[in-house]
Amino acid sequence: MKGTREALFRALSKRSAKSEDRAVNVRAGQLLKRMGGSVKEAAAKVGASPRTFKRWLDGQATPKAANSEALNRANRDVLAPQGRRERLLKSADDEHLGYDEASDSWGVHRPEGLGSPSGGFVVDATITVSQDTRRRTVNLGEYLSSGHMAELLDAYMSGNEAKAQGVLAEGFELWVPQAEVNAVHGISFGPLDYEG
C-alpha cells in the first residue's frame, strides 16, 4: 500500500515525509527553530545533551541511528498540533461499529433513518474491487474504531508505516472484504458526525 507514510505525514504535519531524509544539521536546525531557538529545549526533546545537539547543528557529529530517529520523532511531535491530533482521534466512532453474530462479522450498524456521516477519516486511494481498479474516496471513519485512530496516531509518532498500513487494511476489509488498496494518495479527517 504505497503512499501511506506520506499521506499520513501530510495529514498530521502538513509537511512532506521527505523532510525526514534531510541531513542531520538541517533536521536539527528545523527542530531548534520549532522549539523557539532554545538549544537546551531542543536537545531535551531529542534526549541528547545540549553540547551533542550543538555538534549536530554545526555538522561536527552524526547521531547514531536511534538518535537520528529520536530527532525525527521530536520533529513529528512538534509538527502535529494537539488540535489536529484530537480531530484525528474523533474521526472514528465506536457507536455504530459492532459485531453481527448472524453474519459472524464486524460492520457498521446505523439506526433506521440515519444516513452517511459527515467528517470522518477519509482516504483517497487507488483501489481494486472485483477487477475494477480506480481512484476512490472512502470514509474509513465509519469502519474504524477510536482505538484504530489512536493506533494511527502512534504509527505517525513512531514512524511505523507498517502499523499504519495494517490499520488502514482493517478498515478497507470492513468496507469491502475483497478490496485491494494499491496506493494511498491522501488522507483527511474531521470529527465523525452522523447527525449533521
Side-chain angles (χ1 to χ4, degrees):
M1 193 181 310
K2 70 179 185 177
T4 304
R5 177 176 176 250
E6 181 68 24
L8 188 59
F9 201 94
R10 281 195 181 276
L12 280 162
S13 72
K14 304 299 182 199
R15 303 275 195 290
S16 171
K18 292 177 184 175
S19 63
E20 294 192 340
D21 299 331
R22 293 185 174 158
V24 172
N25 65 329
V26 173
R27 292 182 288 139
Q30 290 170 331
L31 181 61
L32 180 65
K33 182 178 176 182
R34 292 172 182 140
M35 298 296 293
S38 169
V39 171
K40 185 176 179 180
E41 287 180 27
K45 186 95 174 148
V46 177
S49 71
R51 180 173 182 251
T52 298
F53 190 84
K54 186 101 170 85
R55 292 184 69 207
W56 295 346
L57 276 170
D58 297 337
Q60 296 174 350
T62 302
K64 294 179 182 173
N67 287 338
S68 182
E69 179 51 33
L71 180 59
N72 284 340
R73 247 190 335 272
N75 272 308
R76 284 191 294 268
D77 183 51
V78 174
L79 283 170
Q82 192 59 36
R84 204 171 297 143
R85 294 178 198 203
E86 288 171 10
R87 281 195 308 278
L88 174 68
L89 294 174
K90 292 177 182 176
S91 66
D93 186 353
D94 301 340
E95 185 178 351
H96 302 293
L97 183 65
Y99 184 74
D100 180 17
E101 290 183 20
S103 66
D104 191 29
S105 65
W106 285 88
V108 176
H109 306 287
R110 292 187 209 133
E112 188 71 30
L114 204 56
S116 296
S118 62
F121 184 80
V122 180
V123 180
D124 172 18
T126 300
I127 304 168
T128 303
V129 177
S130 300
Q131 299 179 352
D132 177 18
T133 301
R134 61 185 151 116
R135 199 162 170 169
R136 303 167 197 255
T137 302
V138 179
N139 189 345
L140 287 186
E142 274 196 284
Y143 302 94
L144 293 171
S145 68
S146 53
H148 284 113
M149 294 300 105
E151 286 183 48
L152 276 173
L153 183 56
D154 182 63
Y156 162 78
M157 294 306 296
S158 64
N160 189 337
E161 183 176 21
K163 183 175 185 175
Q165 288 175 344
V167 171
L168 293 182
E170 286 182 39
F172 280 112
E173 177 68 23
L174 287 171
W175 174 63
V176 173
Q178 59 271 35
E180 178 187 337
V181 182
N182 304 306
V184 175
H185 307 291
I187 292 171
S188 62
F189 51 85
L192 188 65
D193 181 11
Y194 280 92
E195 303 299 326

